[in-house]
């Protein structure tokens, strides 16, 4: 186990180092911070609840851009290594394919969490500047964005383990969109008269991630309570779903010919 | 009876099919490849482009799975990862993370191999010195030339002091000095008791440093054995130029000494195997011929290699025709 970690960690830190050299990453980060700032301008156009509008737009921007960053970097995560053949020298060392994949996953996750931290700091800065209230609800909201990002990074890693960046982007975006709709699809399906439709809706809900589990932005912005059990459940769900995705990614990647 | 050294690499009846795309017929790249590499030798895996050298090496490195057959290194199946602590691999035209420096990339590989922190800096410095890259060790790899990247490739393959080094076209992209440096490194590895497996198409290097070779053509092994035996078959010939040799004698001498004779104006040019030169000259002088010149002519490995390739291609064509006839 310790030996495995000793091999996973250099791959992870190297992935972080590679990711933070992407210029587009800084562009996305710049736009995210700008959007948080622009929220002040938009709020000034409203007569009521200016601070809430600022924080609502701020949190939405953080979610949107951090997912964008995760997908942008994640889609080429494994494919790039195979395409450039950098993977050959790594797998010829005593590194298993599972360790390599986990190293890349951890590296990307650390990168998006670092970006999230920076955006979170910008959010706090703007909130303090306009005198908007800040409480633990916002911390919980940002924390759960981090857990959602973990799932998205695992999705991107899974698709990157066997398909091209273009297809990975398409699939990951699709899963992201469906993941936010899966709960509604489930409830809609249960209203149907046909048994098979109800079953299909249940099946889809079981297979697709329920990303709304990680969305407590509305409660945070409106000062509603966020129970610790809800956060705990979301964390457990995120960890379980990520583990399942990574297990599948490892299985596929292990069987793949690296031509 | 002398014991031959233990086998370090064993490949048995390896077959690999590639499917070019969905719905397309698969293409067989390796047709039952078998060979063995023994401890302490420099083994040359030689073949023309597309013969299956790199595919075989990828199977050995566990990068691709064989369709059938078995390959093992140090007694372990190549699908396992444990034995890789004892092997080093230089891929063809290696590519490394361009954002790292030479020193950083070697540190990265050393950490993957579990080189102890206390030894890491010293080991990296030793390898940088070995491949003569100390001067560029702190420059980004994106600024390195192809030859410098090849040297980094050699250094990373040896960073953990492996027992066996697998080198895919190690001289590729190097200038004559670089090639000599790499040859020296390979010979130094052999002197240290290491085993070297080398994919190459540069025959002069094979001739100079390899102990044994396997020649692969169109995915089939055409020869495996000591390089000296391979060369010995018709290694040395001599070109003899004669004058005044009666035509009936020339035919008789040609048959007797398996020599090729060609009349060029007033002279006859003869090519005869080294062991037959003395006898041929005595017989020709006895028949009244005048010897104008005798030139020892070593048939190059390249010549023999090309013959082996052509013979392999002829054999494949015959096999294909046979296959068509029976289907």
């Amino acid at each position: 186990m310790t030996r495995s970690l000793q091999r996973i960690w250099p791959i992870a830190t190297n992935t972080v180092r590679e990711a933070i050299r992407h210029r587009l990453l800084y562009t996305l980060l710049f736009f995210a911070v700008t959007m948080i700032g622009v929220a002040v301008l938009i709020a000034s156009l409203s007569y009521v609840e200016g601070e809430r509008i600022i924080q609502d737009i701020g949190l939405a921007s953080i979610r949107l851009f951090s997912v964008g960053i995760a997908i942008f970097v994640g889609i080429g995560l494994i494919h790039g290594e195979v395409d450039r053949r950098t993977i050959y020298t790594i797998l010829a060392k005593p590194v298993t394919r599972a360790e390599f994949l986990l190293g890349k996953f951890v590296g990307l996750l650390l990168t998006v969490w670092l970006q999230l931290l920076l955006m979170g700091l910008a959010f706090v800065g703007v909130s303090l500047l306009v005198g908007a209230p800040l409480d633990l609800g916002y911390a919980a909201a940002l924390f759960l964005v981090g857990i959602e990002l973990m799932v998205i990074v695992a999705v991107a890693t899974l698709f990157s383990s066997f398909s091209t960046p273009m297809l990975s982007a398409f699939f990951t975006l699709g899963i992201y969109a469906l993941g936010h709709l899966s709960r509604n699809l489930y409830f809609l399906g249960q209203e149907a008269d046909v048994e098979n439709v109800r079953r299909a809706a249940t099946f889809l809900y079981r297979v697709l991630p329920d990303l709304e589990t990680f969305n407590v932005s509305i409660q945070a912005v409106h000062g509603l309570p966020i129970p610790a059990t809800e956060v705990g459940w979301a964390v457990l769900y995120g960890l379980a779903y990520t583990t399942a995705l990574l297990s599948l990614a490892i299985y596929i990647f292990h069987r793949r010919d690296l031509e | 009876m002398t014991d031959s050294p233990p086998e370090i690499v064993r490949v048995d009846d390896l077959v690999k099919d590639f499917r070019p795309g969905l719905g397309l017929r698969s293409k067989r790249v390796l047709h039952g490849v078998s060979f063995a590499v023994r401890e302490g030798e420099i083994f040359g895996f030689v073949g023309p482009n597309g013969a299956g050298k790199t595919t075989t090496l990828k199977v050995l490195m566990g990068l691709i799975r064989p369709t059938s057959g078995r390959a093992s290194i140090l007694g372990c199946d190549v699908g396992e990862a444990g034995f890789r602590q004892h092997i080093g691999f230089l891929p063809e035209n290696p590519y490394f993370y361009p954002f790292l420096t030479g020193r950083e990339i070697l540190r990265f590989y050393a950490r993957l191999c579990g080189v102890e922190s206390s030894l890491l800096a010293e080991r990296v410095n030793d390898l940088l010195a070995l491949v003569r890259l100390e001067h560029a060790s702190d420059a980004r790899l994106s600024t390195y030339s192809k030859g410098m990247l090849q040297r980094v490739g050699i250094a990373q393959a040896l960073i953990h002091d492996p027992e066996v080094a697998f080198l895919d076209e190690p001289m590729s992209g190097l200038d004559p000095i670089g090639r000599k440096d790499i040859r020296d490194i390979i010979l130094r590895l052999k002197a240290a008791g290491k085993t070297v497996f080398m994919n190459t198409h540069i025959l002069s290097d094979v001739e100079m440093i390899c102990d044994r070779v396997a020649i692969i053509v169109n995915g089939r092994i055409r020869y495996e054995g000591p390089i000296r035996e391979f060369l010995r078959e018709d290694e040395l010939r001599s070109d003899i130029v004669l004058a005044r040799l009666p035509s009936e004698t020339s035919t008789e001498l040609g048959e007797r000494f398996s020599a090729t004779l060609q009349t060029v104006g007033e002279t006859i040019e003869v090519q005869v195997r080294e062991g037959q030169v003395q006898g041929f000259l005595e017989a020709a002088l006895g028949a009244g011929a005048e010897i104008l010149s005798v030139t020892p002519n070593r048939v190059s490995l390249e010549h023999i290699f090309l013959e082996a390739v052509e013979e392999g291609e002829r054999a494949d064509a015959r096999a294909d025709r046979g296959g068509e006839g029976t289907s």
Side-chain angles (χ1 to χ4, degrees):
Chain A
M1 185 67 183
T2 317
R3 284 274 170 96
S4 265
L5 289 176
Q6 280 173 351
R7 291 187 286 262
I8 290 170
W9 188 244
I11 295 170
T13 50
N14 205 47
T15 305
V16 174
R17 207 189 294 206
E18 184 177 14
I20 60 178
R21 280 174 166 87
H22 265 299
R23 276 187 200 160
L24 199 58
L25 207 69
Y26 291 100
T27 313
L28 283 170
L29 189 63
F30 171 77
F31 274 111
V33 173
T34 307
M35 273 303 290
I36 296 166
V38 164
V40 178
L41 193 67
I42 296 168
S44 69
L45 301 174
S46 170
Y47 292 109
V48 289
E49 297 185 319
E51 292 93 358
R52 279 189 188 164
I53 291 174
I54 289 168
Q55 291 183 319
D56 211 6
I57 294 175
L59 279 179
S61 302
I62 288 173
R63 290 175 73 93
L64 191 72
F65 281 97
S66 50
V67 166
I69 290 168
I71 293 176
F72 165 72
V73 185
I75 53 173
L77 197 66
I78 307 294
H79 184 271
E81 296 272 354
V82 178
D83 201 41
R84 292 173 307 182
R85 290 176 284 129
T86 40
I87 195 170
Y88 289 2
T89 44
I90 295 173
L91 291 184
K93 302 279 185 275
V95 176
T96 64
R97 290 192 185 194
E99 288 166 349
F100 175 78
L101 195 127
L102 289 175
K104 298 300 289 183
F105 166 79
V106 171
L108 176 56
L109 188 59
L110 290 176
T111 308
V112 293
W113 278 353
L114 187 67
Q115 309 278 328
L116 179 65
L117 183 71
L118 292 173
M119 285 189 253
L121 288 175
F123 177 82
V124 170
V126 169
S127 295
L128 290 176
L129 203 68
V130 297
L134 280 172
D135 57 31
L136 273 179
Y138 291 101
L142 285 172
F143 175 70
L144 288 184
V145 171
I147 303 298
E148 181 181 357
L149 285 174
M150 179 174 74
V151 176
I152 297 299
V153 169
V155 172
T157 305
L158 168 66
F159 288 120
S160 179
S161 68
F162 66 88
S163 67
T164 61
M166 189 69 93
L167 281 175
S168 296
F170 180 74
F171 290 139
T172 311
L173 273 171
I175 296 285
Y176 177 71
L178 286 170
H180 277 286
L181 294 173
S182 63
R183 192 178 288 185
N184 290 337
L185 282 173
Y186 173 72
F187 288 125
L188 203 64
Q190 300 316 304
E191 300 296 316
D193 297 330
V194 184
E195 174 65 18
N196 283 344
V197 173
R198 287 200 295 275
R199 279 187 186 165
T202 308
F203 173 75
L204 281 176
Y205 183 64
R206 297 264 183 268
V207 173
L208 291 169
D210 178 6
L211 297 179
E212 280 300 309
T213 305
F214 310 111
N215 187 4
V216 292
S217 300
I218 292 170
Q219 290 102 304
V221 171
H222 291 276
L224 299 170
I226 303 169
T229 49
E230 192 180 329
V231 176
W233 164 245
V235 172
L236 279 178
Y237 175 71
L239 283 171
Y241 205 89
T242 301
T243 306
L245 286 171
L246 290 179
S247 303
L248 185 60
I250 288 168
Y251 175 77
I252 293 170
F253 190 54
H254 185 70
R255 299 177 62 82
R256 202 184 143 186
D257 270 356
L258 302 171
E259 292 163 29
Chain B
M1 198 179 112
T2 56
D3 288 336
S4 55
E7 287 175 354
I8 297 295
V9 180
R10 174 90 230 165
V11 174
D12 287 314
D13 209 16
L14 208 63
V15 172
K16 180 64 189 171
D17 295 337
F18 280 117
R19 195 174 285 278
L22 277 177
L24 296 172
R25 280 184 63 186
S26 63
K27 186 174 184 285
R28 183 150 291 182
V29 181
L30 300 178
H31 302 256
V33 168
S34 300
F35 61 85
V37 181
R38 301 203 184 108
E39 188 177 28
E41 71 182 9
I42 301 175
F43 185 87
F45 198 51
V46 190
N49 290 338
K53 302 190 298 289
T54 298
T55 303
T56 306
L57 199 44
K58 280 184 180 175
V59 171
L60 287 172
M61 292 300 106
L63 297 171
I64 57 175
R65 289 158 176 269
T67 305
S68 66
R70 189 171 180 275
S72 61
I73 298 173
L74 296 163
C76 302
D77 187 89
V78 291
E80 298 168 20
F83 71 90
R84 296 203 195 118
Q85 186 67 47
H86 307 289
I87 66 163
F89 173 49
L90 166 73
E92 186 179 8
N93 300 323
Y95 187 89
F96 303 103
Y97 299 115
F99 54 86
L100 296 180
T101 66
R103 187 181 298 281
E104 285 170 343
I105 196 88
L106 291 185
R107 286 180 68 89
F108 170 67
Y109 285 112
R111 287 170 70 200
L112 289 183
C113 293
V115 174
E116 283 178 39
S117 307
S118 56
L119 302 172
L120 207 138
E122 188 189 345
R123 188 75 193 140
V124 168
N125 284 335
D126 287 351
L127 263 300
L128 284 168
L130 181 75
V131 297
R132 298 178 196 254
L133 276 180
E134 302 109 309
H135 64 287
S137 61
D138 294 318
R140 290 252 175 102
L141 294 175
S142 54
T143 63
Y144 277 32
S145 69
K146 195 180 173 199
M148 290 163 85
L149 287 174
Q150 190 75 0
R151 288 166 186 264
V152 172
I154 295 274
Q156 65 78 28
L158 305 177
I159 191 77
H160 51 308
D161 193 22
E163 290 304 308
V164 197
F166 291 86
L167 312 174
D168 196 354
E169 302 288 359
M171 319 292 182
S172 166
L174 296 174
D175 57 25
I177 297 168
R179 283 172 60 181
K180 186 188 174 298
D181 285 348
I182 301 299
R183 271 201 305 271
D184 289 347
I185 290 170
I186 293 173
L187 290 170
R188 214 180 298 176
L189 287 172
K190 180 181 161 64
K194 314 284 184 185
T195 308
V196 180
F197 177 100
M198 187 170 95
N199 259 7
T200 185
H201 65 270
I202 301 175
L203 298 169
S204 55
D205 295 328
V206 175
E207 212 166 345
M208 236 178 283
I209 60 175
C210 288
D211 300 305
R212 291 199 321 123
V213 290
I215 293 189
I216 183 168
V217 181
N218 290 339
R220 290 184 173 87
I221 297 290
R222 296 294 172 191
Y223 173 85
E224 185 200 349
I227 181 94
R228 297 293 151 223
E229 269 178 32
F230 182 56
L231 289 172
R232 199 171 295 152
E233 286 177 13
D234 20 9
E235 181 185 19
L236 291 170
R237 291 177 186 224
S238 286
D239 291 332
I240 302 169
V241 182
L242 308 165
R244 296 205 296 269
L245 184 68
S247 59
E248 63 278 9
T249 316
S250 71
T251 312
E252 188 247 315
L253 288 180
E255 285 172 3
R256 202 166 123 205
F257 293 98
S258 305
T260 45
L261 292 91
Q262 192 180 3
T263 305
V264 182
E266 297 290 308
T267 61
I268 299 173
E269 290 181 2
V270 184
Q271 201 172 59
V272 65
R273 286 191 184 176
E274 185 64 12
Q276 310 272 35
V277 173
Q278 188 74 27
F280 183 90
L281 288 174
E282 285 171 4
L285 285 168
E290 183 187 349
I291 310 297
L292 299 178
S293 68
V294 180
T295 315
N297 177 16
R298 192 162 196 261
V299 177
S300 68
L301 176 62
E302 187 177 341
H303 179 77
I304 300 168
F305 171 72
L306 289 173
E307 277 183 359
V309 170
E310 283 167 11
E311 176 51 34
E313 282 169 352
R314 280 196 296 273
D316 287 344
R318 280 197 298 274
D320 287 347
R321 279 200 298 276
E324 281 166 18
T326 53
S327 63

